[in-house]
Amino acid sequence: MGQDVIRGAFSREDRARYRYKVRRCLDVFALMLNDFRFDSDRPMTGLEIELNLIDPDAQPAMRNAEVLADLADPSFQTELGQFNLEINVAPRVIEGDGLDVYEREVLASLVHADERARKSDAQLVLIGILPTLRQEHTVLANLSNNPRYQLLNEQIINARGEDIALDIRGQERLEAESDSIAAESACTSVQFHLQVAPEDFAMHWNASQAIAGVQVAVGANSPYLFGKRLWAETRIALFEQATDTRPEELKAQGVRPRVWFGERWITSIFDLFEENVRYFPPLLPITDDEDPVAVLEAGGVPRLGELRLHNGTIYRWNRPVYDIMNGRPHLRVENRVLPAGPTVVDQVANAAFYFGLVGELVQQDRPIWTQMTFSAAEENFHTAAREGLDAHLWWPDRGEVQVAELVLDELLPLASAGLDRFGVHPATRDRLLGVIEGRCRTGRNGAAWQTDTVNDLQARHHLDRRSALREMLQRYSVGLHVNEPVHTWPV
């Protein structure tokens, strides 16, 4: 959400004032899009990576406050659960060896953080959902000690008016209830940021939506939740359900969910912010003293605090971002579809595939989003989350096609051309896209490795599910620290 909040209760006046301010911010944002100069001369990229902490028995370690205090590094922050951390990687251009630098910097930060975590008898793991996590770990008492999480929980539960129900049907079925949003802490992801000019934003967002299913299929890494084998990327279903503010009646009426794929291709970033204001009541109606109209008229750069806070409580899988850096405003697409892990090199390969593929798709004479219905893109997304690399997705001129075949035949060459447009060194391009190719040729991403390993441990070593998950996670942790791509790991 980008800021700490300390308010505990909101009055009708708070909500009325906030609604007025957020609409005033939206009006100013529209004016800025028409005649304001946004920073886009050398488009920057960024990474945010969410992490888990485990103890020596591979169980969740509720120690993020201790670890952060020992780290004393502002690039590391709390996340929702006490077993979660997040690292914000310094933004950079990816031309030349920029992607290699990302990999080296993240590795160095994680090695340092892991050394500090071990002082608290914990270690770091990059994974979509901790396979040893149990429902008793995801309770209100295990939320991080930050007022914003407690307040967000109160607002979501109050808006819903009843407990949160989880019902995920995959290889097995999970049915559970929670009196808090703590189950969301199971979801750990990596986010890619791509800075774009205002006039180019819609193309980049549309392209990101069109390939979301492919990204998830190739990068799936969350097959287990509370001991059940569910979707290849169970995090998608869990996040959609664990933060749903709608009771069943509002779902039946077609009220939009706050975790949202969307419902249409867009023509401007304004479409998304306008939808936010039109469809979603505020969860955190906190106002500041800025008059954005006065700031704009005085030649300044408005912070648009209310609009940004509201945007931070609507969880689009590709989110629009308005931000200010060194006194200049800029716009970003925040790509949020992928899980963390399995390794740093796997994550940077996912980033290369995303940046390259989007970068090339927006250059095409006949854009992908003019050849695909929005509903087809959304169906691809959920099919990929359920089935991973086994998924068949709909693609223009191909119809239903196996996702690995699609990536190998069409999308990797496009991603390669896109990275060339960014000026990425050929050796870097080939090394990282080779990781994506390797997953597709072997049929093994993080989710497949996890399930294959657990199946082997249960069948050949006669371990029960809980023991197999613990042993698998311990092996996974070894592979993570070696930093070899997951498709090369032995089972």
Side-chain angles (χ1 to χ4, degrees), residues 89-101:
V89 185
R92 64 177 54 257
V93 294
I94 61 170
E95 69 180 358
D97 66 347
L99 290 164
D100 296 320
V101 175

Side-chain angles (χ1 to χ4, degrees), residues 203-215 261 265 318 357-358 361 367-370 372-374 376-378 380-381 393-396 406 411:
M203 294 189 298
H204 285 82
W205 188 85
N206 289 343
S208 297
Q209 292 286 98
I211 67 167
V214 174
Q215 284 183 272
F261 189 81
W265 306 119
N318 284 291
L357 187 53
V358 168
L361 288 175
I368 182 68
W369 57 92
T370 67
M372 176 189 290
T373 65
F374 196 87
E378 182 174 15
N380 281 349
F381 179 64
L393 307 181
W394 189 92
W395 201 256
L406 174 65
L411 302 188

Side-chain angles (χ1 to χ4, degrees), residues 163-181:
D163 285 353
I164 292 172
L166 302 178
D167 186 357
I168 304 174
R169 308 178 191 197
Q171 295 284 333
E172 299 166 1
R173 183 176 182 182
L174 173 69
E175 293 180 280
E177 285 198 352
S178 175
D179 62 357
S180 75
I181 64 170

Side-chain angles (χ1 to χ4, degrees), residues 389-421:
L389 279 170
D390 293 329
H392 285 72
L393 307 181
W394 189 92
W395 201 256
D397 300 325
R398 299 290 294 264
E400 296 289 333
V401 58
Q402 206 276 333
V403 66
E405 178 185 334
L406 174 65
V407 172
L408 292 170
D409 291 350
E410 292 192 30
L411 302 188
L412 277 175
L414 292 175
S416 180
L419 292 178
D420 288 344
R421 288 184 185 275

